[in-house]
Amino acid sequence: MKILEFLKSLLNGNKTNKEEGKTSQDKLDELKNYVDSQYGSYMPAKKETAQVPTYDKYEYEAPTDEQIKRSATDELVAYKEQNEKAISQEYAQKEKELAANKAASAANYGDSSAKLKATYEEAAQSLSDDALKRGLARSSIALNNQAAASKAYTQSQGELLNKYNENISAIDEELNGLAGKLQSALDSFKISYAAKLTERINELKEQREENKQKALEYNNSLLSKQYEQTLDKDSTESDLYTEALNQQKIKNELKNTIPDGIRNEIEANIYNKVVELLNSMSFDEARTLFLNEPIFHEVLNDYYYYTLYYKYR
């Protein structure tokens, strides 16, 4: 079995594990490099081709109108909340103050009414005591004095009550109007907020247009620069191509100046390298590659080339 595997490996070109991972192009590149190394010391140095640098374009993704509106709204969230809260707090404080005034008015009315009553009772008692001393307790004079004092007391209490009621009515009227004033203040703020929001949206739209223009100008400058450098590269490569043709002509001429013994040795080494390359494949793969790739005819002299040609034809 081992003998059969050995013969099979010979027929397939003695492939090794290392060679199995290489493509045909890899092997052709190695052959070209090997040929260049054989003639390297006799040939002129190769010049590098021109390279055009690449630039990163400025990719500006312009926001939509809806995105701009959302962004402006988000920016003004704190402003809107703070102002609405301040307005609500202002009117809540007014309501609190009016409620405190109403309570104070009620307390003042109670105190004033109690004092007035005490004053009246004291005056009535004084009149009664005086009438008794004078023996006039049942007289018309005493009764008239008592009636006058009662009338004055009743009138004063009425005036005090009317003043209290007027004060409470004014406070209640102001309290009842607070809700409307609060809503009016909030509506007024909504108008100013809408104007501020519109102003910010317009600012962001202007920024968008400025950024689009900047991106366009920047990318156009890059295109212009790349175009100029491409023209320079084309000109340089044209010169290099002409020079490459001249170098190839020089190479062919220089090969003829190499001493026969050295040239024969180089050609033999190249032939052995080609044989090694072809033997690393199966016969069919080697045949296809040899007959279709022009490099073999380029690197081999006629003797070696036709030696292999008759083998793989």
Side-chain angles (χ1 to χ4, degrees), residues 231-255:
L231 290 179
D232 292 341
K233 177 179 180 292
D234 291 343
S235 176
T236 302
E237 288 187 343
S238 176
D239 294 340
L240 289 173
Y241 177 72
T242 301
E243 185 174 341
L245 292 177
N246 293 333
Q247 282 193 339
Q248 187 61 45
K249 181 179 179 182
I250 293 172
K251 284 182 180 181
N252 293 334
E253 293 174 352
L254 286 175
K255 285 181 181 180

Side-chain angles (χ1 to χ4, degrees), residues 75-134:
E75 286 182 17
L76 296 177
V77 165
Y79 167 81
K80 183 173 183 289
E81 290 178 350
Q82 288 171 0
N83 280 272
E84 288 178 342
K85 183 178 180 180
I87 293 171
S88 297
Q89 287 177 339
E90 178 185 352
Y91 281 87
Q93 181 63 28
K94 287 183 179 179
E95 184 179 17
K96 185 178 179 181
E97 290 172 357
L98 288 171
N101 290 341
K102 189 174 181 180
S105 294
N108 289 336
Y109 169 73
D111 290 343
S112 297
S113 179
K115 287 179 182 179
L116 183 62
K117 183 178 180 182
T119 300
Y120 163 72
E121 288 175 348
E122 183 180 348
Q125 186 63 45
S126 178
L127 288 172
S128 178
D129 291 345
D130 182 64
L132 284 173
K133 287 180 183 180
R134 295 170 62 188

Side-chain angles (χ1 to χ4, degrees), residues 57-59 214-224:
K57 291 179 65 178
Y58 175 44
E59 299 295 343
K214 287 179 181 177
L216 180 62
E217 290 174 357
Y218 176 77
N219 290 334
N220 283 343
S221 69
L222 289 187
L223 289 174
S224 177

Side-chain angles (χ1 to χ4, degrees), residues 37-295:
S37 69
Q38 290 293 302
Y39 287 108
S41 60
Y42 300 94
M43 299 298 164
K46 181 181 178 181
K47 294 186 178 181
E48 294 294 331
T49 59
Q51 297 294 326
V52 175
T54 58
Y55 302 93
D56 292 331
K57 291 179 65 178
Y58 175 44
E59 299 295 343
Y60 174 62
E61 187 173 349
T64 63
D65 287 352
E66 184 60 33
Q67 288 173 327
I68 284 179
K69 182 179 179 181
R70 192 181 310 121
S71 178
T73 302
D74 291 344
E75 286 182 17
L76 296 177
V77 165
Y79 167 81
K80 183 173 183 289
E81 290 178 350
Q82 288 171 0
N83 280 272
E84 288 178 342
K85 183 178 180 180
I87 293 171
S88 297
Q89 287 177 339
E90 178 185 352
Y91 281 87
Q93 181 63 28
K94 287 183 179 179
E95 184 179 17
K96 185 178 179 181
E97 290 172 357
L98 288 171
N101 290 341
K102 189 174 181 180
S105 294
N108 289 336
Y109 169 73
D111 290 343
S112 297
S113 179
K115 287 179 182 179
L116 183 62
K117 183 178 180 182
T119 300
Y120 163 72
E121 288 175 348
E122 183 180 348
Q125 186 63 45
S126 178
L127 288 172
S128 178
D129 291 345
D130 182 64
L132 284 173
K133 287 180 183 180
R134 295 170 62 188
L136 300 173
R138 298 291 179 179
S139 68
S140 60
I141 294 174
L143 292 174
N144 288 336
N145 287 337
Q146 288 288 348
S150 177
K151 181 179 179 181
Y153 168 69
T154 301
Q155 184 177 353
S156 295
Q157 281 287 14
E159 291 174 354
L160 186 64
L161 180 61
N162 287 336
K163 187 176 181 180
Y164 166 71
N165 286 335
E166 288 176 2
N167 193 26
I168 294 300
S169 294
I171 293 174
D172 284 340
E173 184 179 355
E174 195 169 353
L175 280 170
N176 292 334
L178 275 183
K181 289 181 179 179
L182 171 61
Q183 189 59 51
S184 178
L186 290 173
D187 290 342
S188 178
F189 171 71
K190 284 181 181 178
I191 294 173
S192 65
Y193 167 76
K196 190 176 184 68
L197 178 62
T198 300
E199 181 181 4
R200 184 55 183 153
I201 289 173
N202 290 335
E203 288 175 353
L204 291 176
K205 286 183 178 180
E206 288 178 5
Q207 289 179 10
R208 177 181 64 185
E209 295 308 311
E210 288 176 2
N211 290 335
K212 286 168 66 175
Q213 185 62 31
K214 287 179 181 177
L216 180 62
E217 290 174 357
Y218 176 77
N219 290 334
N220 283 343
S221 69
L222 289 187
L223 289 174
S224 177
K225 186 182 294 185
Q226 283 185 323
Y227 175 72
E228 291 175 358
Q229 291 177 336
T230 299
L231 290 179
D232 292 341
K233 177 179 180 292
D234 291 343
S235 176
T236 302
E237 288 187 343
S238 176
D239 294 340
L240 289 173
Y241 177 72
T242 301
E243 185 174 341
L245 292 177
N246 293 333
Q247 282 193 339
Q248 187 61 45
K249 181 179 179 182
I250 293 172
K251 284 182 180 181
N252 293 334
E253 293 174 352
L254 286 175
K255 285 181 181 180
N256 295 327
T257 65
I258 299 174
D260 291 344
I262 296 175
R263 186 172 66 253
N264 292 338
E265 182 180 351
I266 290 174
E267 291 175 347
N269 290 338
I270 294 173
Y271 171 76
N272 291 332
K273 187 67 177 178
V274 170
V275 171
E276 179 185 335
L277 183 156
L278 296 174
N279 284 344
S280 68
M281 308 175 184
S282 68
F283 181 85
D284 289 338
E285 289 174 333
R287 179 178 182 277
T288 300
L289 189 68
F290 182 81
L291 296 178
N292 288 283
E293 289 293 339
I295 188 174

